[in-house]
Amino acid sequence: VRELLPIHASSSTLLSMTLIFLINKTLGRNFLRRTVLVAPGEHPGTAVRCTPCRQPGRRRRADLGGYLHPMIVIDEVRLVLVRHAMPVIDPAVPPGRWQLGPDGRAAARDLRPLVVGPAYYVASTEPRAVQTLQEIAGRTGVRTGAGLVEVRRPHVWSDTSTYRRTARSYVEGTLPDGWEPHDRVVGRFDRAVARHAAAATAQAITLIVGTHGMAATIWLASRYHLEPDPAQFWAALRFPDLIEVDLLRGVVRRPGS
């Protein structure tokens, strides 16, 4: 295993690869061929077409991160991000506790035909994300992960247009007072996707992640070039919506968009 790693590989990376090697040897499956370690700031070979947010000559008001953490990219995984359905909005309740009503549940069920074959479902711990995936998954269980929650921010009620202006500026790179820094969003989302992608690939099934508009966009923008730009990509997301991600080739698309 050491011969497969760069000389500067960390002990934790060596341990991870050693475990993969032992699993490969024990189960007789070619895990090493299917697993590529992506170090911070690097791409796993010429097949990858993702564009980190930091580009020469391009100035941003906030650094959205690029490759902040080593991430295991498994080339046979299919990743689908699901932006939750429209919840019942209650100004007296923080958004993280909003739930879906009948219309939101029906809209989520409409996405079920677009998810083909068996899948591994994991959602943000927020009820609107969990309930959206439950409607899509049917009888299949839905796991939850705190790393997939929406951007953390103060609960200050404002009209829709004011909120969307603030949220859009955040996606563009500004950091309003009290809002979660972009690099923290990217870091926790990275770790959650890596962990569940490994589990989904071990079962040879699609990974379906139930999450939120800003968190998903910030994570995608840190790894890929979103067209036409992250803010417009976020603004175009529907309630609910699907985002297909090819982790190895860096291709991001919204079916039906």
Side-chain angles (χ1 to χ4, degrees):
V1 174
R2 169 62 74 178
E3 293 178 355
L4 297 174
L5 297 173
I7 295 175
H8 60 270
S10 66
S11 59
S12 62
T13 300
L14 178 60
L15 176 60
S16 297
M17 290 299 292
T18 301
L19 289 174
I20 293 171
F21 177 79
L22 292 174
I23 293 171
N24 175 64
K25 187 173 182 180
T26 301
L27 300 181
R29 298 177 62 183
N30 194 357
F31 278 74
L32 292 178
R33 180 185 63 79
R34 297 167 57 203
T35 307
V36 180
L37 286 178
V38 180
E42 297 178 352
H43 300 304
T46 57
V48 175
R49 294 184 286 129
C50 58
T51 305
C53 204
R54 287 178 288 186
Q55 301 176 10
R58 184 178 181 183
R59 300 182 62 186
R60 296 186 63 84
R61 285 172 287 175
D63 183 0
L64 300 184
Y67 288 95
L68 295 179
H69 304 275
M71 180 176 178
I72 297 178
V73 178
I74 303 173
D75 62 3
E76 294 182 14
V77 72
R78 177 173 177 242
L79 171 63
V80 178
L81 303 181
V82 180
R83 201 265 187 94
H84 63 80
M86 180 64 76
V88 176
I89 297 175
D90 183 349
V93 176
R97 291 164 50 191
W98 289 350
Q99 304 200 30
L100 301 186
D103 290 345
R105 287 183 176 274
R109 284 194 298 274
D110 288 342
L111 297 182
R112 189 180 297 175
L114 300 179
V115 179
V116 180
Y120 176 108
Y121 294 91
V122 59
S124 152
T125 53
E126 297 186 27
R128 50 189 168 166
V130 175
Q131 292 164 1
T132 297
L133 274 205
Q134 286 173 337
E135 294 297 334
I136 297 173
R139 295 181 179 180
T140 304
V142 175
R143 298 166 177 83
T144 58
L148 303 169
V149 300
E150 182 59 295
V151 172
R152 298 180 176 99
R153 58 202 185 278
H155 175 48
V156 178
W157 181 253
S158 59
D159 61 86
T160 301
S161 60
T162 300
Y163 167 73
R164 288 190 66 83
R165 282 198 302 270
T166 304
R168 182 166 183 144
S169 69
Y170 175 86
V171 174
E172 290 174 336
T174 62
L175 185 62
D177 289 342
W179 285 51
E180 185 176 12
H182 301 81
D183 59 347
R184 292 185 187 174
V185 177
V186 173
R188 62 174 169 81
F189 211 100
D190 246 358
R191 291 187 289 272
V193 171
R195 181 171 62 255
H196 294 288
T201 299
Q203 302 175 51
I205 56 179
T206 300
L207 173 60
I208 310 292
V209 175
T211 186
H212 308 267
M214 285 189 294
T217 301
I218 292 297
W219 179 72
L220 289 168
S222 76
R223 292 184 169 274
Y224 314 113
H225 178 69
L226 300 180
E227 293 290 349
D229 58 57
Q232 293 186 65
F233 180 90
W234 168 80
L237 291 175
R238 298 161 293 207
F239 290 96
D241 210 344
L242 296 180
I243 307 168
E244 293 186 350
V245 184
D246 184 327
L247 288 172
L248 199 64
R249 294 175 177 81
V251 176
V252 178
R253 78 180 191 94
R254 292 172 50 230
S257 62

